[in-house]
Amino acid sequence: MLIDLTVSLGQSVPVEILPERVIVRTQETIVWWSPARERIMFFSDRGDDAVLKKMNGKRYPHPPLLFKTAGSHLSVRALLENKRPKPGTKLAPRHIGTVMRMESSAPEP
């Protein structure tokens, strides 16, 4: 019955094995997550800013991140826990740059 329904709607549902970090995939959207880790960051050096030049291309700690693409748009949010999100998982309430500044200035445990 389900096959007849999808055929009658003019859609086929291909079988896919998705990577572990992919949370959701539709024809229009894909959502995936990445655990906390250090990532290389690049900064624009327009304006000849010596501080940015010194920071450019170095590794900085990042919180766990949730990415969503829809069409040509990309959204990035920080997760509050370093584990695969589930329905109802809380996201950081702040912009990702704010979360990163707060974490990088936090004292070491």
Side-chain angles (χ1 to χ4, degrees):
M1 178 183 145
L2 184 57
I3 293 172
D4 293 335
L5 179 61
T6 58
V7 169
S8 69
L9 292 173
Q11 300 174 355
S12 63
V13 180
V15 174
E16 285 186 89
I17 298 175
L18 299 173
E20 181 179 322
R21 292 191 183 155
V22 173
I23 308 298
V24 173
R25 184 187 176 285
T26 69
Q27 287 183 320
E28 301 84 25
T29 302
I30 186 163
V31 178
W32 73 98
W33 82 287
S34 179
R37 66 178 189 183
E38 286 192 350
R39 292 179 172 88
I40 296 174
M41 292 186 68
F42 298 95
F43 302 94
S44 171
D45 61 358
R46 284 182 263 162
D48 204 29
D49 187 323
V51 174
L52 285 181
K53 283 184 180 182
K54 189 175 183 179
M55 294 171 57
N56 201 29
K58 295 189 177 173
R59 293 183 176 274
Y60 296 93
H62 282 69
L65 299 173
L66 185 69
F67 299 88
K68 176 185 173 186
T69 61
S72 61
H73 300 285
L74 173 67
S75 301
V76 182
R77 294 284 303 270
L79 297 165
L80 296 176
E81 296 182 286
N82 195 24
K83 61 184 182 182
R84 189 180 199 274
K86 300 176 187 173
T89 294
K90 302 245 185 227
L91 302 177
R94 298 176 198 94
H95 182 273
I96 186 65
T98 305
V99 173
M100 289 173 54
R101 279 193 298 277
M102 289 176 56
E103 287 192 358
S104 65
S105 63
E108 293 292 320

